Amino acid sequence: MKPIQMVDLAGQYARIKPEVDAALAEVMRHTGFINGPEVKAFEQELAAYLGVKHVIGCANGTDALQIAMMALGLKPGDEVITASFTFVATVEVVALLGITPVFADVLPGTFNLDPADIERKITPRTKAIVPVHLFGQTADMEAIMAIAAKHKLYVIEDDAQAIGGTYTFSDGTRKKSGTIGHIASTSFFPSKNLGCYGDGGALFTDDDDLAKRVRRVCNHGSETRYYHEVVGVNSRLDSLQAAVLRVKLKQLDGYAAARNAAAASYDKAFAGIPELMTPARSAQSDHVFHQYTLRVKGGHRDALKKHLEANGVPAMIYYPVPCHLQNAYRSDRFPAGSLPVTEQLTHEVLSLPMSTELDPEQLAHITATVKGYFNP
Ligand SMILES: *Cc1c(COP(=O)(O)O)cnc(C)c1O
């Protein structure tokens, strides 16, 4: 059996190597490393795939969040409501901009923001909501957009984990994840569903004026070279990464299908184990399985993780400490106990290997090892 990894980037590369290598060689030939033709071509191809007017590349997913907030004009004193059960990036950029992060709890099934708790956390200072589409499912955007419209708030979708997913509204309208809010951010970190071979990120929006402001922020706050209208940053998707992403974008739907096939065999294998709650599926969103995350009941999580690792099966805890209990972001407003679902999840979640390359032999070993812990 091939050794099992959380994500098999080498196996994935092997299947697209000729095309990737040719695309990289072309960049080496023309040497337009910054703002080369691949960047524009990728932005247009991703926009067409998503059905959104503008895709603007940037250096990484964390920058994308910060740039979105800068382009929207969020400023110190404003409040942004987001999840605490997430990767720290959202909270980090909010804090860097002097904005106040306000945490809403998540739903125990999908792990995505609970619209009812968002509404409870709105104050006169609230300016934006940042739903994080966690582990591959789009948050309840219909409810979130209705709350945002009622309270005149911006919605910034953090689409780093759900790119390629589809959300269905109650009237049957379907939209790609990341094209529903006013703006969205994503990451092309290598292990993401659409990953490059280094750092990369992008923003999506249908708003022409906002797209212009995003491009200006990314480019040192400048539209005309050496004239600076606003404070900006330097954040670019480089041509080599765009060249890789153009190849991988064509595979994205196939990659999601491979992830779903692995998830289906996990679901089937664990159906009879009462201590394991397999990932709930949202009624509105499909799942692109950035992670396959179990809830392990009865206090077995850490011992199960050790058992898996001892048998050649890596497993990860995303995320062990919620943002509101991180030393960098603690506040009196969100003491321990203030986000009960989030806190409970951090004690129960366990993510199994999930990639486009898991073969039947590896899946059989993983599921047998999990079952072996419960029925030794
Ligand atoms: C990966 C990730 C980010 C950050 O992306 P980087 O490209 O690593 O900066 C932000 N939010 C979420 C939810 C992520 O998973």
Short mmCIF file of all heavy atoms in Angstrom, two decimals, residues 13 18 28 80 101 103 148 171 182 190 201 229 262 264 270 276 283 290 299 312 319 356-357 375:
data_model
loop_
_atom_site.label_atom_id
_atom_site.label_comp_id
_atom_site.label_asym_id
_atom_site.label_seq_id
_atom_site.Cartn_x
_atom_site.Cartn_y
_atom_site.Cartn_z
N TYR A 13 0.07 15.64 -8.71
CA TYR A 13 0.96 16.27 -9.71
C TYR A 13 1.33 15.26 -10.79
O TYR A 13 1.35 15.58 -11.98
CB TYR A 13 2.20 16.81 -9.00
CG TYR A 13 3.33 17.25 -9.92
CD1 TYR A 13 3.10 18.18 -10.94
CD2 TYR A 13 4.62 16.74 -9.76
CE1 TYR A 13 4.13 18.58 -11.77
CE2 TYR A 13 5.65 17.15 -10.59
CZ TYR A 13 5.41 18.06 -11.60
OH TYR A 13 6.43 18.45 -12.41
N PRO A 18 2.76 16.52 -17.36
CA PRO A 18 3.16 17.08 -18.67
C PRO A 18 2.56 18.47 -18.90
O PRO A 18 3.25 19.38 -19.34
CB PRO A 18 2.60 16.06 -19.67
CG PRO A 18 2.43 14.79 -18.89
CD PRO A 18 2.12 15.20 -17.49
N MET A 28 8.82 30.48 -17.95
CA MET A 28 10.28 30.63 -17.93
C MET A 28 10.78 31.20 -19.27
O MET A 28 11.76 31.93 -19.31
CB MET A 28 10.97 29.29 -17.64
CG MET A 28 10.62 28.65 -16.31
SD MET A 28 10.69 29.75 -14.89
CE MET A 28 12.44 30.06 -14.81
N VAL A 80 -17.09 43.35 12.88
CA VAL A 80 -17.31 42.34 11.85
C VAL A 80 -17.69 41.04 12.54
O VAL A 80 -16.97 40.58 13.45
CB VAL A 80 -16.04 42.15 11.00
CG1 VAL A 80 -16.15 40.92 10.12
CG2 VAL A 80 -15.78 43.38 10.14
N PRO A 101 -13.42 42.05 16.00
CA PRO A 101 -14.09 40.79 15.64
C PRO A 101 -15.18 40.45 16.66
O PRO A 101 -14.97 40.55 17.86
CB PRO A 101 -12.96 39.75 15.70
CG PRO A 101 -11.88 40.35 16.55
CD PRO A 101 -12.09 41.83 16.59
N PHE A 103 -17.84 37.31 17.52
CA PHE A 103 -18.00 35.90 17.15
C PHE A 103 -19.44 35.43 17.29
O PHE A 103 -20.08 35.67 18.32
CB PHE A 103 -17.11 35.03 18.04
CG PHE A 103 -15.65 35.34 17.86
CD1 PHE A 103 -14.93 35.98 18.87
CD2 PHE A 103 -15.00 35.02 16.68
CE1 PHE A 103 -13.59 36.27 18.71
CE2 PHE A 103 -13.66 35.31 16.51
CZ PHE A 103 -12.94 35.94 17.53
N ALA A 148 -28.24 40.51 6.23
CA ALA A 148 -27.38 41.61 5.79
C ALA A 148 -28.21 42.71 5.13
O ALA A 148 -27.98 43.90 5.37
CB ALA A 148 -26.33 41.08 4.81
N ASP A 171 -35.79 29.16 -4.01
CA ASP A 171 -36.54 29.23 -5.28
C ASP A 171 -35.89 28.40 -6.39
O ASP A 171 -36.31 28.46 -7.54
CB ASP A 171 -36.71 30.69 -5.71
CG ASP A 171 -35.38 31.33 -6.15
OD1 ASP A 171 -34.32 30.66 -6.08
OD2 ASP A 171 -35.41 32.50 -6.57
N HIS A 182 -21.30 40.18 -1.22
CA HIS A 182 -20.83 41.35 -1.98
C HIS A 182 -19.45 41.10 -2.56
O HIS A 182 -19.11 41.62 -3.62
CB HIS A 182 -20.82 42.58 -1.07
CG HIS A 182 -22.18 42.88 -0.53
ND1 HIS A 182 -22.62 42.40 0.69
CD2 HIS A 182 -23.21 43.56 -1.07
CE1 HIS A 182 -23.88 42.79 0.88
NE2 HIS A 182 -24.26 43.50 -0.16
N PRO A 190 -1.38 25.18 -1.33
CA PRO A 190 -1.29 23.90 -2.04
C PRO A 190 -2.32 22.84 -1.63
O PRO A 190 -2.79 22.09 -2.48
CB PRO A 190 0.14 23.44 -1.72
CG PRO A 190 0.90 24.71 -1.54
CD PRO A 190 -0.06 25.67 -0.88
N GLY A 201 -3.92 33.60 -3.89
CA GLY A 201 -5.27 33.87 -3.42
C GLY A 201 -6.01 34.70 -4.44
O GLY A 201 -5.43 35.07 -5.48
N GLU A 229 -3.68 56.93 -4.52
CA GLU A 229 -4.92 57.56 -4.03
C GLU A 229 -5.27 57.12 -2.62
O GLU A 229 -5.84 57.89 -1.87
CB GLU A 229 -6.09 57.22 -4.96
CG GLU A 229 -6.10 58.01 -6.26
CD GLU A 229 -5.06 57.51 -7.27
OE1 GLU A 229 -4.81 56.28 -7.28
OE2 GLU A 229 -4.49 58.34 -7.99
N ALA A 262 -14.47 9.37 -1.91
CA ALA A 262 -13.79 8.97 -0.67
C ALA A 262 -14.71 9.18 0.53
O ALA A 262 -14.83 8.31 1.40
CB ALA A 262 -12.49 9.76 -0.51
N ALA A 264 -17.94 9.16 0.59
CA ALA A 264 -19.03 8.17 0.58
C ALA A 264 -18.56 6.85 1.16
O ALA A 264 -19.30 6.19 1.90
CB ALA A 264 -19.56 7.99 -0.85
N PHE A 270 -18.65 3.89 8.47
CA PHE A 270 -18.83 4.32 9.86
C PHE A 270 -20.29 4.37 10.29
O PHE A 270 -20.59 4.76 11.42
CB PHE A 270 -18.19 5.70 10.08
CG PHE A 270 -16.74 5.76 9.65
CD1 PHE A 270 -16.21 6.93 9.11
CD2 PHE A 270 -15.92 4.65 9.77
CE1 PHE A 270 -14.87 6.98 8.71
CE2 PHE A 270 -14.58 4.69 9.36
CZ PHE A 270 -14.06 5.86 8.82
N LEU A 276 -19.46 7.69 16.41
CA LEU A 276 -19.01 8.56 15.31
C LEU A 276 -20.19 9.24 14.64
O LEU A 276 -21.14 8.59 14.23
CB LEU A 276 -18.24 7.74 14.26
CG LEU A 276 -16.92 7.12 14.70
CD1 LEU A 276 -16.27 6.40 13.53
CD2 LEU A 276 -15.97 8.18 15.27
N ALA A 283 -28.84 21.16 3.53
CA ALA A 283 -29.94 21.04 2.57
C ALA A 283 -29.71 21.95 1.36
O ALA A 283 -30.17 21.67 0.26
CB ALA A 283 -31.27 21.37 3.24
N HIS A 290 -13.38 19.67 1.41
CA HIS A 290 -12.01 20.12 1.71
C HIS A 290 -11.47 19.26 2.86
O HIS A 290 -10.32 18.85 2.85
CB HIS A 290 -12.00 21.60 2.07
CG HIS A 290 -10.65 22.08 2.47
ND1 HIS A 290 -9.58 22.01 1.62
CD2 HIS A 290 -10.17 22.58 3.63
CE1 HIS A 290 -8.50 22.46 2.24
NE2 HIS A 290 -8.83 22.79 3.46
N GLY A 299 -15.72 11.09 24.38
CA GLY A 299 -14.36 11.37 24.83
C GLY A 299 -13.30 10.51 24.16
O GLY A 299 -12.17 10.41 24.65
N GLY A 312 -0.43 4.01 10.90
CA GLY A 312 -0.10 4.58 9.59
C GLY A 312 -1.19 5.42 8.97
O GLY A 312 -1.20 5.65 7.76
N TYR A 319 -10.53 22.52 14.41
CA TYR A 319 -9.41 23.26 14.96
C TYR A 319 -9.39 23.01 16.46
O TYR A 319 -10.46 22.98 17.05
CB TYR A 319 -9.62 24.74 14.65
CG TYR A 319 -9.56 24.97 13.13
CD1 TYR A 319 -10.73 24.89 12.37
CD2 TYR A 319 -8.36 25.20 12.48
CE1 TYR A 319 -10.69 25.06 10.99
CE2 TYR A 319 -8.32 25.39 11.09
CZ TYR A 319 -9.49 25.31 10.36
OH TYR A 319 -9.46 25.45 9.01
N THR A 356 -7.56 13.88 -3.54
CA THR A 356 -8.08 13.40 -4.82
C THR A 356 -7.48 12.06 -5.18
O THR A 356 -7.85 11.47 -6.18
CB THR A 356 -7.73 14.41 -5.92
OG1 THR A 356 -6.30 14.59 -5.93
CG2 THR A 356 -8.38 15.76 -5.64
N GLU A 357 -6.53 11.59 -4.37
CA GLU A 357 -5.72 10.43 -4.79
C GLU A 357 -5.90 9.20 -3.92
O GLU A 357 -5.16 8.24 -4.08
CB GLU A 357 -4.23 10.81 -4.79
CG GLU A 357 -3.91 12.08 -5.55
CD GLU A 357 -4.38 12.05 -7.00
OE1 GLU A 357 -4.15 11.02 -7.66
OE2 GLU A 357 -4.99 13.04 -7.44
N ASN A 375 -14.22 -1.74 17.71
CA ASN A 375 -14.51 -3.17 17.89
C ASN A 375 -13.22 -3.97 17.84
O ASN A 375 -12.96 -4.69 16.89
CB ASN A 375 -15.43 -3.67 16.74
CG ASN A 375 -16.72 -2.91 16.69
OD1 ASN A 375 -17.49 -2.91 17.64
ND2 ASN A 375 -16.94 -2.23 15.57
#
